[in-house]
Amino acid sequence: MATLAKPNLPRFDVEIFQNEFLADGAREVNAIVTVTATGGGTSGGRPLGVADAGPQGPDAQSAAVVIMVDCSGSMDYPASKMRGAREATAAAIDTVRDGVAFAVVAGTHEARDVYPGDGTLAIASDDTRARAKEALRRLTAAGGTAMGTWLAKADKLFLTRHDIAIRHAILLTDGNNEHESAADLDRAIERVTGHFTADCRGVGTDWRVDELRKISSALLGTVDIVAEPSGLTEDFRSMMAGAMGKQVADVALRIWTPANAVVKFVKQVAPAVEDLTARRTEAGPRAGDYPTGSWGDESRDYHVCVEVPAAAVGNEMLAARVSLVLPPQTGNTPEVLSQGLVKAVWTDDLASSTRISPQVAHYTGQAELASSIQEGLEAHRAGDVDRATAKLGAAVRIAHATGNEGTFKLLQKVVDVVDPKEGTVRFRKNVSEADSMTLETRSTKTVRVKK
């Protein structure tokens, strides 16, 4: 592990967990990379985004947030949804710190900036927060749903400020994306990817998990269900507090491999499963960058799998060098925040080469848990009860074995657990749509490996 401290930046630490010993001729190297960011702050000791009387230093970063509120006609059925959305957005606005740029967008089959309403971002203060909350009272529900236009509007607002480093959005909807094609939404997501991060929330049960997951995954945010409108306020307040805690943006996981070695996959595995493999951008000879988004004080785990050339017993090599990097501020040299090494050693000692790293084993199980839940629910919707039962039974077994109590409790609302150790289950009768969607939405949440 290496830590390279930079002034005014959080401290990033990288730890590598692996079994570096391979059998004669073996080629696959697996490692869990734990990245922890602590302390720091990128505005010269001031809380991020808080304005001061003088010019900010060269390392200063500022923040902006855009809240996209579904105002389609369905938000009036029941009326508590629209009321809950207004109250939740007001709570989020109250959580925005002084000096942070912000805006509120009303989303229907088009997008309208509600506050400040002039195509720009407001700067948070007691006065602007009060004005924004006053504007919320005028929100009404009418029209359709075209989320791609909402994302485009948020992007346009963010681009009005070139001094903004951390850009974060919150998107709330209660329905399907019915007023634009799937291709239109895909194109909108592609255009804004890398411009800002976004947390997505679905209220009620008439929205599609796959649509919001597509948005949140591309924009390196979270997705969740708020089954009852009364739960929106606390959820929005929590999301905004998380956004206010971010200290540095656009951090990339850079993986260098030696000649004839190749990265098979890179996955975030905690706090949630997110496959980053296809998000690679080339970063020089034999190196690639995988986006991780914005960071505050937090820790995340990544599963890196590298295929190396086969070697004979006694050989050893550096299989990969993993670095945390920031885009270059000037010139072409990125800032290296921390790095760690993944090794490979070939041995004829069977005990050494067959030992599985506890961290690798744990997170392989967590990824399998997520896919088992998603495949099981999809099979159930398709009427294949046998496959659905088998997949959710496997999920119960893994959740029980790995101590993922949160997911285990969600599974119990969908299936009756006969034997958790063996994964023997029966589908429950009259499962609510809310319970089924909650399980699907939160299927990617993981638990950290026990030390």
Side-chain angles (χ1 to χ4, degrees):
M1 176 186 72
T3 301
L4 306 179
K6 298 289 182 179
N8 299 327
L9 287 177
R11 172 192 172 99
F12 279 84
D13 293 298
V14 170
E15 292 182 276
I16 305 293
F17 299 95
Q18 66 165 132
N19 175 20
E20 61 194 51
F21 295 103
L22 303 179
D24 185 14
R27 302 185 61 191
E28 187 172 286
V29 181
N30 286 276
I32 297 301
V33 180
T34 295
V35 180
T36 304
T38 53
T42 56
S43 50
R46 295 183 306 278
L48 183 66
V50 175
D52 62 10
Q56 294 187 5
D59 291 323
Q61 293 198 48
S62 52
V65 291
V66 173
I67 306 171
M68 295 168 273
V69 183
D70 189 341
C71 292
S72 62
S74 59
M75 286 290 287
D76 244 355
Y77 301 96
S80 58
K81 279 196 290 190
M82 195 70 234
R83 184 169 59 251
R86 290 192 202 97
E87 293 171 354
T89 305
I93 289 169
D94 279 336
T95 312
V96 177
R97 285 200 309 267
D98 283 356
V100 172
F102 76 103
V104 180
V105 170
T108 58
H109 52 282
E110 55 188 9
R112 177 173 59 90
D113 46 325
V114 174
Y115 186 82
D118 58 0
T120 68
L121 296 166
I123 302 301
S125 66
D126 289 343
D127 179 61
T128 56
R129 281 190 291 266
R131 291 174 182 269
K133 288 186 288 184
E134 178 64 31
L136 293 177
R137 298 189 180 99
R138 298 192 292 271
L139 288 184
T140 57
T145 304
M147 295 180 217
T149 67
W150 311 357
L151 297 172
K153 172 64 75 173
D155 193 41
K156 189 174 181 180
L157 289 167
F158 283 129
L159 290 174
T160 62
R161 290 285 301 270
H162 298 292
D163 59 332
I164 299 296
I166 295 180
R167 300 176 173 92
H168 188 77
I170 291 174
L171 184 153
L172 171 70
T173 187
D174 78 325
N176 299 335
N177 199 50
E178 296 175 333
H179 292 83
E180 66 183 354
S181 69
D184 285 339
L185 178 59
D186 288 344
R187 281 191 290 269
I189 294 171
E190 184 177 1
R191 282 192 293 267
V192 305
T193 295
H195 295 189
F196 58 91
T197 56
D199 290 326
C200 299
R201 294 296 183 267
V203 60
T205 58
D206 293 328
W207 54 282
R208 284 175 49 184
V209 176
D210 60 336
E211 283 183 344
L212 288 198
R213 194 187 300 283
K214 182 190 299 184
I215 296 170
S216 67
S217 178
L219 302 185
L220 300 173
T222 63
V223 60
D224 207 348
I225 181 174
V226 184
E228 296 297 331
S230 59
L232 283 172
T233 296
E234 185 53 41
D235 191 67
F236 266 48
R237 186 181 289 116
S238 176
M239 277 192 291
M240 189 59 76
M244 293 298 98
K246 300 302 182 184
Q247 299 169 316
V248 60
D250 300 325
V251 179
L253 194 70
R254 176 166 294 180
I255 301 180
W256 174 91
T257 50
N260 301 317
V262 61
V263 178
K264 292 187 70 175
F265 65 77
V266 176
K267 297 177 182 178
Q268 178 185 285
V269 288
V273 176
E274 188 65 62
D275 195 339
L276 301 175
T277 310
R279 306 285 296 273
R280 177 185 173 109
T281 56
E282 296 306 312
R286 302 193 300 277
D289 285 353
Y290 301 84
T292 69
S294 301
W295 287 73
D297 283 357
E298 58 188 297
S299 182
R300 306 179 199 169
D301 292 334
Y302 299 87
H303 185 171
V304 175
C305 180
V306 179
E307 189 173 85
V308 297
V313 169
N315 285 352
E316 67 177 86
M317 68 176 290
L318 176 63
R321 182 171 62 243
V322 181
S323 307
L324 269 292
V325 300
L326 276 176
Q329 301 300 310
T330 57
N332 298 313
T333 305
E335 283 193 280
V336 179
L337 304 174
S338 187
Q339 60 185 214
L341 306 178
V342 179
K343 302 175 183 179
V345 179
W346 283 266
T347 179
D348 56 4
D349 178 31
L350 189 63
S352 295
S353 64
T354 57
R355 186 176 70 248
I356 300 176
S357 161
Q359 288 82 3
V360 171
H362 175 83
Y363 285 121
T364 300
Q366 294 295 288
E368 184 185 350
L369 171 61
S371 62
S372 294
I373 291 171
Q374 292 167 18
E375 291 173 25
L377 293 174
E378 184 179 347
H380 191 251
R381 284 193 294 268
D384 189 344
V385 178
D386 288 344
R387 176 174 169 77
T389 303
K391 286 293 181 180
L392 291 187
V396 164
R397 175 178 50 78
I398 297 168
H400 175 72
T402 59
N404 194 328
E405 295 179 4
T407 299
F408 187 82
K409 289 177 181 177
L410 293 176
L411 282 160
Q412 285 180 305
K413 294 183 178 181
V414 176
V415 294
D416 287 320
V417 178
V418 179
D419 186 339
K421 189 174 181 180
E422 297 296 326
T424 307
V425 302
R426 289 190 298 263
F427 259 94
R428 301 186 67 175
K429 295 180 179 179
N430 303 319
V431 174
S432 75
E433 187 68 17
D435 286 340
S436 180
M437 288 182 68
T438 300
L439 175 60
E440 182 177 7
T441 306
R442 299 178 185 172
S443 60
T444 57
K445 293 183 184 297
T446 58
V447 290
R448 304 299 291 270
V449 64
K450 295 178 180 178
K451 301 296 183 182

